[in-house]
Amino acid sequence: MLKITCPFCGPRNESEFVHGGPEKPRRPEDPAALSDTDWIDHLTVPDNPMGPVREKWWHLRGCGQWVTITRDTVSHDILDEDGHDRR
Ligand SMILES: [Zn+2]
């Protein structure tokens, strides 16, 4: 089980959170300049990389805030911004 640190509540078990998926890339400056295929990909096809991923977690059974963490999708280690293991 993951131990996720909520900035408001402190370290909590993963069971208190709902996974919100990877952080979305920024909206393109000019969506009209994209092809329909590229726009549909931006809106609907999430990246699924192996390794460190910035992702959102909703502290549903706690304070109700969204938390962004960096998690290694291979090892499930939670990393800080410098890539160091926080557990
Ligand atoms: Zn919280």
Side-chain angles (χ1 to χ4, degrees):
M1 177 174 291
L2 295 175
K3 185 76 79 181
I4 298 172
T5 301
C6 173
F8 306 101
C9 307
R12 296 290 193 266
N13 287 330
E14 172 190 356
S15 60
E16 293 187 14
F17 293 83
V18 174
H19 185 245
E23 208 171 45
K24 291 256 184 189
R26 292 185 59 85
R27 182 183 170 99
E29 290 291 326
D30 184 8
L34 298 178
S35 69
D36 288 346
T37 301
D38 289 343
W39 183 237
I40 290 169
D41 284 351
H42 172 75
L43 294 175
T44 61
V45 181
D47 290 337
N48 191 19
M50 293 177 66
V53 174
R54 298 278 297 162
E55 54 187 20
K56 301 276 197 176
W57 289 79
W58 181 26
H59 199 183
L60 176 64
R61 293 171 192 90
C63 65
Q65 296 294 312
W66 283 93
V67 176
T68 303
I69 64 172
T70 303
R71 182 176 63 90
D72 189 312
T73 58
V74 176
S75 66
H76 298 293
D77 291 338
I78 296 174
L79 311 170
D80 64 19
E81 291 302 315
D82 299 318
H84 297 112
D85 193 338
R86 240 194 284 173
R87 289 193 285 177

